[in-house]
Amino acid sequence: MAGNLRVAHLRSPRRLQNLLLGLCVLCYAAPLLRIAVVAAQTLVRRTDQGGGDLGLVLVNARVARIIGLTCGQTLASVVVCLGIGIPLGWAVGRRTVHGSSVLGALLLAPFALPTVTVALAMFAIVGSPPDSLSGRFLLIVGAHALFNVGLVVRTVALAVEALPVQAEEAAASLGASAKSRWLHLRLPLLSPAIASSALLVALLSLTSFGAVVLLGGHGMTTLEVEVWVLATRQFDLGAAALLAVGQFFLVVLLLLAFERTARWSQQWSGLGIELRPLQSSTTKARVYPTRAGLTSLASWATALTLVGVPLGALVMRSGFDNGQWTWSRYVDLFGNKVVPLRGVDFVEVLWRSVGNAGVATVVATLIAVPVAIASRNQRVTRPVNRATSLSLGVPATLMGLGYLVLASGPPVDLRSSRWLLPVVQGILAAPICVRILAPPVSQIGRGVIEAARTLNSSGIDQAVRVWLPPLLRPLAFSAGCAFAFSIGEFGASSFLARSGDPTLTQLVARILSRPSVVSLSQACALSLLIGTLAVGAIVLPSGGVGLLRVGGRRA
């Protein structure tokens, strides 16, 4: 009898976990399937109208130009990020740079900023939107570099730190030249990390929406921007769905290639070579002081130029006027004196955006916690990892379009609901929270959980005493990341936000729609405010948890 009760006790949480996992899968699969259905219906209808010529339906001169621009800016972004990131990653991994950990953190910092903040930082450098297409193209590539160079540096640095010192010493003792060691030893071992970082940059550049919309203007149109134009400006959901499906297949191909390179990067570790860090005395002896000083100087100069100049220009544009600091741009925002925002109560938009971010945080946490707990099961771990990777790669615009089509009914039209946008933003932020929560959840010992069950502890008691203490800081950090994602989200908002209830990021686009020196300064001030809210949401919650813990220990 006791055994049956124990089996029933164990089955109930598993059934609940399976139900929650099914609902999470449905949240992502439903909009994608709906887009696929609309795309298939449109393809059949237009093929019949075009006399059965499938090529004319799928590709025309405008689509070909858009594909060329999309691939061009993606390739250029990859080349620039690798050209800057590989040398910096080598220097950071070799520890030949003074303050290498601070340098790596500085380069990664822009990745936490909203898209509008980075885009306006690029505008702040040039002072006004360029008239030429090539100028806007360079601004977009620069924004992608500011976003993604830190990822390349981190990936390459970790690979450099793991290089086998013994193999390098053996090659040098056998008379191999520096060039030969690079070509035949270091480069093959670093190739997986370089390839994976290149694919990651390509994926992020391919799905870049906010930077292209804000920096590209009307002439620079990529696949994502064209999907948005077709769906929201021309109201052609069928054509938008066709392009969205094409972009989705490109994203899936890049994700599969990224997963393959991730496995490839682990293969050389099984060659039987004992690895040890490069910070050995032998390695340090090879670095000459003069060369190390020049390397540090060049690395820091590159990092400060890449990160400090755009963000510094953003701060200067938002507050300095005639060589003096002024708060007039911020006063204009809160006083509703910004000309392009006439009829908009800025404080109301601010509080609504903060409220939406709060709702999105709750939704993301409710989705992420059960998924992270379910991933403790080894049979579920790999599918969860693949699903979260795919979810992170799916563009926010694609999900926004899918939910726009789903919300249009039948049976219920939810487009006018104020809850639609924050719920979708929470669904989009959930994979980030899963990636943050899964490692600490997996470290909770099964023995502790079984002991609590043996003592007949209630579910609430187990959650408070067993699960919550080790997860308190990760939960705070994941909630902060979800809030930051929502407050700076631009893709799904462009599809789902009601015209009378704009978000903060949409106000930036409205201000830039009337280009002038004053409008650029006001847009910089607003984007800096959004970036401050996002960074504060990431830093303050986890820091507050740490202070509470320190206070508890002192007591």
Side-chain angles (χ1 to χ4, degrees), residues 31-32 35 227 231 237 394-407 420-421 424 428 489 491-496:
L32 297 179
I35 290 177
V227 169
L237 292 179
V394 172
T397 52
L398 185 60
M399 295 293 290
L401 175 63
Y403 275 101
L404 176 65
V405 178
L406 276 177
L420 179 61
L421 177 59
V424 173
L428 290 171
E489 199 276 325
S493 303
S494 301
F495 288 86
L496 301 176

Side-chain angles (χ1 to χ4, degrees), residues 1-14:
M1 184 69 177
N4 294 334
L5 288 175
R6 188 165 182 257
V7 170
H9 180 70
L10 290 175
R11 281 179 179 174
S12 178
R14 289 179 182 174

Side-chain angles (χ1 to χ4, degrees), residues 404-486:
L404 176 65
V405 178
L406 276 177
S408 300
V412 181
D413 190 345
L414 298 175
R415 286 175 295 179
S416 59
S417 174
R418 66 176 303 269
W419 298 101
L420 179 61
L421 177 59
V423 169
V424 173
Q425 287 178 338
I427 293 172
L428 290 171
I432 303 174
C433 299
V434 172
R435 287 297 178 92
I436 295 172
L437 294 175
V441 166
S442 64
Q443 294 176 2
I444 298 177
R446 295 184 180 274
V448 179
I449 300 173
E450 292 296 332
R453 288 174 177 172
T454 304
L455 295 174
N456 294 326
S457 298
S458 63
I460 297 178
D461 191 50
Q462 290 182 35
V464 173
R465 296 180 179 274
V466 177
W467 294 95
L468 188 58
L471 295 181
L472 192 59
R473 184 181 289 272
L475 276 172
F477 182 62
S478 67
C481 289
F483 188 95
F485 172 86
S486 176

Side-chain angles (χ1 to χ4, degrees), residues 133-222:
L133 182 62
S134 59
R136 290 182 176 271
F137 184 88
L138 291 176
L139 283 181
I140 292 172
V141 173
H144 291 167
L146 179 57
F147 260 127
N148 302 322
V149 163
L151 297 178
V152 178
V153 172
R154 178 174 174 79
T155 304
V156 174
L158 291 175
V160 170
E161 288 178 356
L163 285 175
V165 179
Q166 296 91 335
E168 290 198 38
E169 293 173 345
S173 64
L174 292 174
S177 63
K179 179 180 178 181
S180 179
R181 293 198 301 270
W182 259 108
L183 292 177
H184 301 291
L185 179 62
R186 292 171 179 171
L187 189 59
L189 296 180
L190 293 178
S191 294
I194 295 174
S196 62
S197 60
L199 289 170
L200 183 59
V201 172
L203 177 63
L204 294 173
S205 301
L206 178 67
T207 57
S208 175
F209 175 72
V212 178
V213 168
L214 296 175
L215 297 174
H218 298 290
M220 190 69 190
T221 304
T222 59

Side-chain angles (χ1 to χ4, degrees), residues 348-358 483 486-487 502-505:
E348 181 182 349
V349 174
L350 176 62
W351 282 115
R352 183 169 57 247
S353 297
V354 171
N356 288 345
F483 188 95
S486 176
I487 204 73
T503 62
L504 287 174
T505 53

Side-chain angles (χ1 to χ4, degrees), residues 206-477:
L206 178 67
T207 57
S208 175
F209 175 72
V212 178
V213 168
L214 296 175
L215 297 174
H218 298 290
M220 190 69 190
T221 304
T222 59
L223 281 174
E224 271 200 309
V225 176
E226 183 67 7
V227 169
W228 170 64
V229 170
L230 289 172
T232 62
R233 304 293 176 86
Q234 300 180 12
F235 305 104
D236 190 350
L237 292 179
L242 281 173
L243 287 181
V245 169
Q247 187 189 23
F248 177 74
F249 280 119
L250 289 177
V251 168
V252 171
L253 288 176
L254 286 175
L255 287 173
L256 291 176
F258 179 78
E259 185 179 358
R260 180 70 184 91
T261 56
R263 291 200 301 266
W264 179 28
S265 64
Q266 298 174 356
Q267 290 177 357
W268 65 269
S269 61
L271 297 177
I273 301 175
E274 182 184 359
L275 304 182
R276 61 191 173 100
L278 280 174
Q279 303 91 289
S280 63
S281 58
T282 307
T283 305
K284 284 188 175 182
R286 296 175 185 170
V287 181
Y288 298 99
T290 303
R291 185 183 300 177
L294 292 176
T295 302
S296 296
L297 180 62
S299 300
W300 275 103
T302 304
L304 291 176
T305 302
L306 180 66
V307 178
V309 171
L311 297 183
L314 179 66
V315 175
M316 296 284 288
R317 276 300 164 192
S318 67
F320 276 90
D321 188 12
N322 295 325
Q324 294 182 346
W325 177 265
T326 175
W327 295 98
S328 60
R329 309 306 182 200
Y330 299 92
V331 172
D332 291 343
L333 285 173
F334 285 92
N336 300 323
K337 297 179 181 179
V338 179
V339 174
L341 301 183
R342 282 181 177 173
V344 176
D345 189 342
F346 177 76
V347 176
E348 181 182 349
V349 174
L350 176 62
W351 282 115
R352 183 169 57 247
S353 297
V354 171
N356 288 345
V359 174
T361 302
V362 174
V363 172
T365 304
L366 291 177
I367 295 175
V369 169
V371 173
I373 294 175
S375 66
R376 288 168 54 88
N377 188 343
Q378 294 181 354
R379 293 179 299 177
V380 182
T381 302
R382 190 170 182 179
V384 166
N385 289 335
R386 287 187 172 181
T388 52
S389 298
L390 179 61
S391 303
L392 288 171
V394 172
T397 52
L398 185 60
M399 295 293 290
L401 175 63
Y403 275 101
L404 176 65
V405 178
L406 276 177
S408 300
V412 181
D413 190 345
L414 298 175
R415 286 175 295 179
S416 59
S417 174
R418 66 176 303 269
W419 298 101
L420 179 61
L421 177 59
V423 169
V424 173
Q425 287 178 338
I427 293 172
L428 290 171
I432 303 174
C433 299
V434 172
R435 287 297 178 92
I436 295 172
L437 294 175
V441 166
S442 64
Q443 294 176 2
I444 298 177
R446 295 184 180 274
V448 179
I449 300 173
E450 292 296 332
R453 288 174 177 172
T454 304
L455 295 174
N456 294 326
S457 298
S458 63
I460 297 178
D461 191 50
Q462 290 182 35
V464 173
R465 296 180 179 274
V466 177
W467 294 95
L468 188 58
L471 295 181
L472 192 59
R473 184 181 289 272
L475 276 172
F477 182 62

